[in-house]
Amino acid sequence: MIFNTTYTNEDFLVHSKELLGKPFSLLNKIKMKGIGSGRFMIAEVSEKLKTTKKQFSELHYGNIEMRPKGILVHFTNRLERFSWCIPYHKLVIYNASFFSIHAEGSFIKFKKNKNYTENKKFIDKMIDYKNEYLNLDYYDSPLFK
């Protein structure tokens, strides 16, 4: 689900808590050594996200925030801020010539530049947390090696 979060949005607060759980407490944020990424430079977005954003400016940035049951992808268009709620069970990550996040037929592709390399540890942490949440440790068994 995509929400305009430029200003306080009650629908966003309710739906994000339902889908992704409450934000981590300060103590958990410290234990996890941060729950948010730095800034990513967006290379391309899917048509579903373009219609939400109306006009897509030339230079645009986004960042990712972890929640207990999913992630929030925040991105801007001119002076507006949008948040995309993605539960872990719908989240698909591709890491090829671009780093991209896919869910429900939509995607955001991030450029692999200096910003990407600075966020590599966060991406690894996010993938590990997703696997832990979905209990995907069976991929570590000898059958898959």
Side-chain angles (χ1 to χ4, degrees):
M1 248 179 202
I2 301 163
F3 296 94
N4 184 335
T5 54
T6 307
Y7 303 103
T8 304
N9 185 335
E10 290 298 322
D11 287 341
F12 167 72
L13 296 175
V14 170
H15 283 86
S16 66
K17 283 181 186 174
E18 279 179 17
L19 285 172
L20 311 176
K22 291 183 179 180
F24 288 108
S25 67
L26 179 62
L27 185 60
N28 284 340
K29 289 177 185 179
I30 293 170
K31 284 181 185 177
M32 295 173 70
K33 298 180 183 172
I35 56 142
S37 72
R39 202 161 74 157
F40 287 101
M41 187 176 264
I42 297 175
E44 183 182 351
V45 297
S46 65
E47 289 299 318
K48 288 182 181 180
L49 297 179
K50 282 183 185 176
T51 57
T52 302
K53 294 179 70 174
K54 293 180 178 81
Q55 291 181 321
F56 209 70
S57 61
E58 291 192 19
L59 281 178
H60 32 281
Y61 297 94
N63 66 323
I64 302 169
E65 175 189 339
M66 290 173 41
R67 290 277 182 98
K69 299 179 189 175
I71 64 169
L72 283 171
V73 180
H74 303 288
F75 52 95
T76 58
N77 180 35
R78 301 185 190 252
L79 298 176
E80 293 183 310
R81 179 182 169 112
F82 294 90
S83 297
W84 182 20
C85 299
I86 307 172
Y88 284 130
H89 66 276
K90 293 182 180 181
L91 175 65
V92 179
I93 298 171
Y94 292 105
N95 196 358
S97 58
F98 291 99
F99 167 68
S100 62
I101 293 178
H102 298 251
E104 299 178 333
S106 298
F107 66 86
I108 293 182
K109 290 184 180 179
F110 298 105
K111 292 181 180 178
K112 281 189 154 181
N113 56 9
K114 180 183 172 192
N115 295 351
Y116 171 80
T117 54
E118 291 172 356
N119 287 311
K120 185 69 176 115
K121 285 183 181 178
F122 171 80
I123 294 167
D124 293 339
K125 182 189 339 180
M126 179 179 66
I127 292 170
D128 290 343
Y129 196 82
K130 174 191 172 189
N131 291 343
E132 183 180 313
Y133 175 79
L134 296 176
N135 195 17
L136 298 178
D137 57 349
Y138 60 85
Y139 286 116
D140 294 333
S141 72
L143 296 174
F144 292 99
K145 292 185 180 188

